[in-house]
Amino acid sequence: MIYVCGYIYSYNLIGTLGVQNPTSVAGDMLVYPNPASDLITFSAGNMTIKGLDITNTAGQVVLKKTNLNQREMNLDVSSFNPGVYFARILTSKGVVTKKIMVK
């Protein structure tokens, strides 16, 4: 029971809604070095990288790679303008988004 502003509320817990283990996928994905000026390595640990989208801060997709099926990959960012980008990585266990910085 909860007492709020003169009223008593009673409730029963019927379950939870959410994502199971949200850190398990993100925690297994390593992105290094960050910031970088030439190559960035994406290492998926015990997962497989299936696809990769790189977007700028305006939400524009600047790079898209599909059908990768790799546990680790190097990305050449030497042609990118310096700034902040977001890597959306599709893995065998879900989707991970990481912020990357190009200098």
Side-chain angles (χ1 to χ4, degrees), residues 32-74:
Y32 59 91
N34 196 9
S37 57
D38 51 5
L39 287 178
I40 292 181
T41 300
F42 295 88
S43 179
N46 62 351
M47 301 178 292
T48 302
I49 300 170
K50 295 184 174 222
L52 174 71
D53 292 343
I54 305 292
T55 58
N56 60 20
T57 54
Q60 299 166 318
V61 177
V62 295
L63 181 95
K64 184 175 192 78
K65 291 186 175 269
T66 58
N67 299 320
L68 296 172
N69 296 318
Q70 301 174 24
R71 290 191 185 271
E72 186 171 293
M73 66 167 290
N74 293 316

Side-chain angles (χ1 to χ4, degrees), residues 11 13 20 29 41 49 73 82 84 103:
Y11 65 93
L13 183 62
Q20 296 179 357
M29 179 62 65
T41 300
I49 300 170
M73 66 167 290
V84 176
K103 53 181 178 172

